[in-house]
Amino acid sequence: MSASARSPLSGCTILILAVLMLVFLIGFSIWTPFRQAKEIEKFTQPEAKPLPVLSLETESIAAQNLRDRFEKFREDLADGTKEARIELDSNDMNLSVAMFPALEELRESFWVREIEDDQLVIDICYRLNGRPRLAKEGEDGPITADPLYLIGTIHGSPFLSKRELVLNVDSLDVPGAEVAEGFMGHFSSLRIFEKSLNDPQIGPAMAQLTYAGIEDDKLVLARIPGDPVPDVVTDETFQSTGGKIALFLGGAALIFVLLAGTALYLGYRKQLEKLQKSEETNIPSSDA
């Protein structure tokens, strides 16, 4: 066999393509969070502006009344034959955040300003992750990020999905800034009670709800016997951004497979042609 027939060119081409694709995928996975953080920095603040929290001492009468109403609501929920219903105004919702330990995460970051036009108007100081960086001494993990705070007002409406009360964000107003459209696609559904699903009181209560809506400027939560538990939000709604990234990476992997397969096929044909030419040029003569 000739030296040209044993050429490693095709193998090197495949290896180079594989390395380039691997470098691209690694680079893209590193670049994506930095790009997202850069866009988020345009409408966020590096420092939090805590929102007010109602004092349970000054609101003791209203707080006790709210506890009694919630207790009655839980008792009605426990009886599967009865309709359970509770109505909450903006003060009730702010009191709930101050009262229940399961909602502690919402304190100073979530304030229901009012209910108007069948929407909740909520001031937020929402914590997000900024640009990734190496962790300093005393910080958890090798990689961390400094916080950024989304400070503004959202207009949204409640609905139920997968036995969970979810807030559908119709608009987000940030003073002096314009929120990126891609971010709104990810922020359109807020699972503000996600961490309450395992709470022994709030979790089971949410799981039984069949209705959530705005009526007469109040948030109404209800369980109507015989009505199914709504499930209207797909995984794509909550994970749109992650789904797009996964789709892109999957497409990149498919392109890599196609390129590698094409290179293998062309390399195989080239090697086969060289072998055939080598055999033709090395045929023994009749005088040998």
Side-chain angles (χ1 to χ4, degrees), residues 161-162 164 185-186 188-189 191 231-244:
S161 171
K162 300 181 180 177
E164 181 181 349
H186 176 70
S188 60
S189 296
R191 301 178 66 183
D231 188 8
V232 296
V233 176
T234 62
D235 291 337
E236 288 77 10
T237 304
F238 288 133
Q239 303 174 0
S240 58
T241 300
K244 290 177 181 178

Side-chain angles (χ1 to χ4, degrees), residues 21-280:
M21 184 60 66
L22 180 62
V23 170
F24 169 77
L25 293 176
I26 294 175
F28 179 79
S29 63
I30 295 175
W31 169 77
T32 296
F34 282 94
R35 176 180 176 274
Q36 291 177 341
K38 183 178 179 180
E39 291 298 318
I40 290 174
E41 288 171 358
K42 296 178 181 179
F43 52 87
T44 55
Q45 302 293 331
E47 300 292 335
K49 293 183 180 179
L51 296 169
V53 178
L54 287 180
S55 170
L56 297 182
E57 293 182 1
T58 59
E59 297 281 345
S60 59
I61 297 178
Q64 185 58 51
N65 176 269
L66 184 60
R67 288 191 183 96
D68 293 341
R69 289 160 57 200
F70 270 118
E71 183 61 31
K72 176 64 166 56
F73 184 55
R74 282 194 291 267
E75 290 176 359
D76 291 342
L77 286 174
D79 186 345
T81 62
K82 296 177 61 176
E83 178 177 342
R85 179 185 177 94
I86 189 169
E87 298 179 357
L88 305 171
D89 59 22
S90 58
N91 195 69
D92 291 333
M93 285 181 273
N94 291 327
L95 261 179
S96 298
V97 172
M99 285 172 49
F100 296 111
L103 304 181
E104 183 177 2
E105 187 181 33
L106 298 178
R107 295 171 191 170
E108 298 187 339
S109 64
F110 187 91
W111 177 263
V112 182
R113 186 195 301 176
E114 59 182 337
I115 303 175
E116 64 175 8
D117 299 330
D118 294 334
Q119 286 189 324
L120 298 171
V121 182
I122 305 170
D123 294 329
I124 61 170
C125 179
Y126 197 84
R127 176 170 173 161
L128 302 169
N129 290 326
R131 299 192 186 198
R133 61 170 175 81
L134 295 176
K136 300 177 182 178
E137 185 176 353
E139 295 179 330
D140 295 332
I143 304 295
T144 187
D146 293 319
L148 293 173
Y149 295 92
L150 177 62
I151 301 171
T153 302
I154 60 177
H155 293 72
S157 53
F159 64 98
L160 300 172
S161 171
K162 300 181 180 177
R163 301 183 180 275
E164 181 181 349
L165 180 61
V166 181
L167 183 64
N168 183 64
V169 179
D170 299 314
S171 65
L172 168 61
D173 301 324
V174 177
E178 183 177 350
V179 181
E181 183 178 348
F183 178 82
M184 281 302 300
H186 176 70
F187 200 71
S188 60
S189 296
L190 281 182
R191 301 178 66 183
I192 54 178
F193 295 106
E194 181 180 8
K195 293 188 177 181
S196 302
L197 291 174
N198 296 324
D199 183 82
Q201 293 182 329
I202 297 179
M206 281 198 301
Q208 297 184 63
L209 297 178
T210 61
Y211 173 79
I214 303 295
E215 297 180 9
D216 298 327
D217 294 334
K218 290 183 179 180
L219 169 65
V220 178
L221 305 177
R223 193 279 312 279
I224 302 174
D227 285 0
V229 177
D231 188 8
V232 296
V233 176
T234 62
D235 291 337
E236 288 77 10
T237 304
F238 288 133
Q239 303 174 0
S240 58
T241 300
K244 290 177 181 178
I245 293 175
L247 182 62
F248 182 88
L249 293 177
L254 178 61
I255 292 174
F256 166 71
V257 171
L258 292 175
L259 289 175
T262 302
L264 282 171
Y265 175 72
L266 295 177
Y268 172 77
R269 288 198 58 180
K270 188 173 182 180
Q271 289 284 58
L272 184 61
E273 291 174 357
K274 289 181 178 180
L275 287 173
Q276 291 175 344
K277 291 180 180 179
S278 175
E279 291 175 356
E280 291 175 358

